[in-house]
Amino acid sequence: MKASQFFISTLKEAPADAEVASHQLMTRAGLIKKLGAGIYTYMPMGLRVVQKVEAIVREEMNRAGAVELSMPVVQPAELWQETKRFETMGPELLRIQDRHGRDYVVQPTSEEVVTDIARQELRSYKQLPRNFYQIQTKFRDERRPRFGLMRGREFTMKDAYSFDRDVDAAKASYQVMAQAYRRIFDRFGLRYRAVAADSGAIGGDLSEEFQVIAATGEDAIVYCPGSEYAANMEKAEALAPAGPRPAPAHSMAKTPTPGKATCADVAALLNLPLQNTVKSLVLATDETNQAGEIVRSQVWLLLLRGDHDMNEIKVGKLPGLDAGFRFATLAEIKAHFGCEPGYLGPIGLLQPVRVVVDREVAVMADWVCGANTPDFHWTGVNWGRDLPEPELVADIRNVVAGDASPDGAGPLAIERGIEVGHVFYLGTKYSRAMNATFLGEDGKPAFFEMGCYGIGITRLPAAAIEQNHDERGIIWPDAIAPFTVVLCAITPDRFPEVKVAAEQLYVQLLAAGVDVILDDRGERPGAMFADWELIGVPHRVTIGDRGLKEGLVEYQHRRDTGATKIALTDILAHLKGQLSK
Amino acid sequence: MKASQFFISTLKEAPADAEVASHQLMTRAGLIKKLGAGIYTYMPMGLRVVQKVEAIVREEMNRAGAVELSMPVVQPAELWQETKRFETMGPELLRIQDRHGRDYVVQPTSEEVVTDIARQELRSYKQLPRNFYQIQTKFRDERRPRFGLMRGREFTMKDAYSFDRDVDAAKASYQVMAQAYRRIFDRFGLRYRAVAADSGAIGGDLSEEFQVIAATGEDAIVYCPGSEYAANMEKAEALAPAGPRPAPAHSMAKTPTPGKATCADVAALLNLPLQNTVKSLVLATDETNQAGEIVRSQVWLLLLRGDHDMNEIKVGKLPGLDAGFRFATLAEIKAHFGCEPGYLGPIGLLQPVRVVVDREVAVMADWVCGANTPDFHWTGVNWGRDLPEPELVADIRNVVAGDASPDGAGPLAIERGIEVGHVFYLGTKYSRAMNATFLGEDGKPAFFEMGCYGIGITRLPAAAIEQNHDERGIIWPDAIAPFTVVLCAITPDRFPEVKVAAEQLYVQLLAAGVDVILDDRGERPGAMFADWELIGVPHRVTIGDRGLKEGLVEYQHRRDTGATKIALTDILAHLKGQLSK
């Protein structure tokens, strides 16, 4: 491609609403152009990146035996009513009425349509396993779209759906996809982690997120540097601490802590480590009758170490809390604790509550907690002496860096990531809802065992930029760069020999299969280099008249701080060496 | 590709709602699957065809200097309000409200968005010419979707838009696209015509339709077998007949024609050629005030030869009729002619009307027309004798086969076509409406001169099938076949040598770059051949145990009535010869 025949449009300033680096740089480099809230045009430079991402995904999906089709963007509501998602998905689902007043949705995913295809097309176990995928436009009506392509409303997703005859076969299909995803993300050339994720009510370990590592990522990723263990924060288990509980060393005392309503403030006042404090979280669950009215509520007290945070997913799996919970009201708290929040604790309640004790708290001695009296805390509290031994002990907290890895391979570390892929075992959730069956080997109808597998095609470039950029602009990995090599001719209009040499090298590189752009726009060198550093093309070759007199050109990788002089006759070999890295 | 790893699903019966061959065959061959009215899933076999069409279009658009981008499917209404199309497009435009109640549309085309991009990005004449294109999902909420992909609601279109500094440059850009379209349609391997089309109010000849020839086409294409002339029915000019009007031979007589209200019936009753009759069409135009109320109406009488049809586009360009017209009401007809339709004519009116005489009628002698008396016609009518010479003579009819070609190269012929592409000079229609300007060489802002260029990517396969099918199924041209070659192994499970030879040939063909599918499903030969004849893969190679003993395989083109025996060692060369045809 010659730059004069392409469309390049760079900006000095990022738009005011661009909060993150990828949004700023994609806009400044002319990769995307905002049309409305969360809605972007992929400009020529950006579309090339998207198409390279698509090509890698398509190749590996095909290699893994998945078959591509393309489902409609606008889908009749009837199918979405079968699974009840037309109602349950809420305002994120963009709903439309056509000219005849019939209901449609703009697809956010396509479980319903693909399950409808399967129940018509896959009639026998002999046609299984089967994996259909598409690369298609999706829409999610985010309440607050932001961060450019990171949390847009219209986006492109690769969504794949597997259909299997039984759980074992479904697990095998899941593993095929999980492996294909590793190949795909390896090929992108990004640092990523495949992390275990919560698989919801289904259980088992058949859910993994593919997270691109970036300091600005929305998700916390827990991993063990000493092993392959990696999980997202929702999923990562906090083990029970090793060793027995220390013996009590202090007696319990009601200590004034005026105005100190947080564990951190109390610890500071008492000159104790935060790790000696225990915080009290008060939840409630409601029992309803068939009319949906609340007939009875239950108050719960959760005890966590002062420096730990509650993990809602883990709490939501505990018996009694697994049908949904809420924070208790102020009235409920006063009725049970006789005190307002800030000084709550497990000792001396007005009415009984159900207590859940975090694994860590269960082995603490001489701890501090609220005294259920304003401006007072208990210090030197000990299990079995000052209050009964805990009945329900569970992992209800987020892990923190330094916690022991569940696989015993050392301490855990935490970094941040951007979720770009997800593989998920669905079980029969959709096939049951839509009565999608096949005839099994025993001649009886059976529900499909399903899996779903997504990759955010247009989110991936944004994640790549969050991971790979500097103050000058984007730094693309070779595989998904809009162009792999840029050939900069310095003032070719003044130096015909530069123009000729650049054109010759350009043709030579094209013939060698290199994805090269020749910048023949005639820009001044400073502006030209600034453009390509902003756009982030990884390899740059510069041809100027002075070097050319000595038969030399310059090579510079986007990460290099300076250029290297290379003989013009060696540059192709040099580039090939760089590209094969 | 191996069939066992692909998805093949054929049907014996076409769905009840499939009226045309392409819809029936695409459904039976498993290319598409209906999801809702006018909304289809492209199944794996169909998507391959669509992707091949896309690839050809993309290559030739790039070659012609157009640059690809991708505009959103869901577009804010604001831009559509600037051009007033949000209101004027009517119910074909699918409108949406998001969760905040803001208006959006699902793009039917993208003139508004691309013009918005141009007015932001193209600031100087130095950035022109520029041509942006996309291949994207579109939606038109057709009142009555039908004929499968031929008149669907959701479809894929390639839409390109050119921006130029002046009319001459815009015409040059138009010609570049018109040439690119010829290359694209040549590559598809279909019989087509590029026909001149009406360019609306803009005038000039800068509008061409690309019509795929098919007996079932919706459009009549007029062409001259003796020259390059081709136009659609709306556009094709009917020349004034050569030679002078014959002298009157009969006197005018009021002739009873009881119950004969059509020219055909009158001609039959009077034993005269239909060409001797003249039919009267009564139109009306309305003049409105600023409030939109009708303040005055004008009645028009159009005279056409009995066997000719009115051409509404031509009529709509006549002075006085060019702001819109309607058929006259019964009350208007009675008030002016004193008679009901069926016996109307230009002689003896109660109130004056404006008369438009077709070129053909103006040179007729001794003609027949209604007498403005029920059950009576005038015969032997002659201009200048029985009524004044015509004042307004114009081409207001559709041409018919045998009419003289406007380029003087002989008689016209008519065939039917399916419109799959359109190149169109837009002028400043959109740039003015959206105030889209650039700085000209003179330093002053000027409106972009625009053109738009569409190809119905998902309509093209349907048109190809309408042109190329037989009672057994589809017959694809090589370039857009889902697979170019199918390799059929006969009962490979019973004959290991067949299996081995088929696999070896398959690998050999793949290595030679042939797009081949190996049918390894183990189907019986009859069912296997029927599948591939239905799907329409153009080249078939069959390997069976008997032939193999003599080192022979069979080759059959989809159009051949029988197979040809070819030595296994020669088959690759033979195929290459066939594919290069």
Side-chain angles (χ1 to χ4, degrees), chain A residues 97-164:
Chain A
Q97 287 201 330
D98 74 357
R99 64 193 293 159
H100 302 297
R102 284 189 290 252
D103 290 316
Y104 291 81
V105 308
V106 180
Q107 66 165 346
T109 59
S110 267
E111 280 85 356
E112 281 78 359
V113 172
V114 79
T115 304
D116 181 54
I117 290 170
R119 70 182 168 184
Q120 294 176 60
E121 293 286 342
L122 307 177
R123 290 169 296 270
S124 157
Y125 72 94
K126 292 178 190 163
Q127 293 172 276
L128 304 178
R130 175 59 66 190
N131 187 321
F132 289 121
Y133 79 98
Q134 66 173 350
I135 299 178
Q136 249 292 34
T137 304
K138 308 286 190 302
F139 201 97
R140 279 187 202 163
D141 200 359
E142 294 273 352
R143 195 176 61 81
R144 202 183 143 215
R146 57 197 162 138
F147 305 152
L149 298 193
M150 202 77 86
R151 191 164 291 284
R153 295 200 290 172
E154 186 171 315
F155 55 97
T156 302
M157 191 167 92
K158 186 285 295 175
D159 42 330
Y161 306 91
S162 63
F163 295 87
D164 278 285

Side-chain angles (χ1 to χ4, degrees), chain B residues 251-270 272 274 276-280 306 339-347 367-381:
Chain B
S251 53
M252 187 167 91
K254 194 165 184 174
T255 308
T257 51
K260 307 301 181 190
T262 68
C263 287
D265 286 349
V266 171
L269 175 74
L270 304 178
L272 288 170
L274 185 56
N276 281 28
T277 64
V278 167
K279 65 178 150 194
S280 300
C339 177
E340 294 202 6
Y343 302 91
L344 305 181
I347 300 167
W367 38 281
V368 177
C369 65
N372 293 324
T373 309
D375 296 335
F376 279 90
H377 279 77
W378 290 113
T379 57
V381 182

Side-chain angles (χ1 to χ4, degrees), chain A residues 6 9 33 41-42 44 47 67-70 72-74 91 98-99 104 120-121 130 141 143 153-154, chain B residues 6 9 33 41-42 44 51 67-70 72-74 98-99 104 120-121 130 141 143 153-154:
Chain A
F6 195 61
S9 174
K33 191 163 191 65
T41 292
Y42 304 103
L47 186 62
V67 181
E68 188 176 6
L69 45 63
S70 183
V73 174
V74 176
D98 74 357
R99 64 193 293 159
Y104 291 81
Q120 294 176 60
E121 293 286 342
R130 175 59 66 190
D141 200 359
R143 195 176 61 81
R153 295 200 290 172
E154 186 171 315
Chain B
F6 195 61
S9 173
K33 191 163 191 67
T41 293
Y42 304 103
Q51 288 176 336
V67 181
E68 187 176 5
L69 45 63
S70 184
V73 174
V74 175
D98 75 357
R99 64 193 293 158
Y104 292 82
Q120 295 177 61
E121 294 285 341
R130 177 58 64 192
D141 200 359
R143 195 176 59 81
R153 295 200 289 172
E154 185 171 315

Side-chain angles (χ1 to χ4, degrees), chain B residues 332-353:
Chain B
E332 286 170 330
I333 291 173
K334 281 184 177 170
H336 288 78
F337 294 82
C339 177
E340 294 202 6
Y343 302 91
L344 305 181
I347 300 167
L349 303 184
L350 300 184
Q351 292 183 51
V353 300

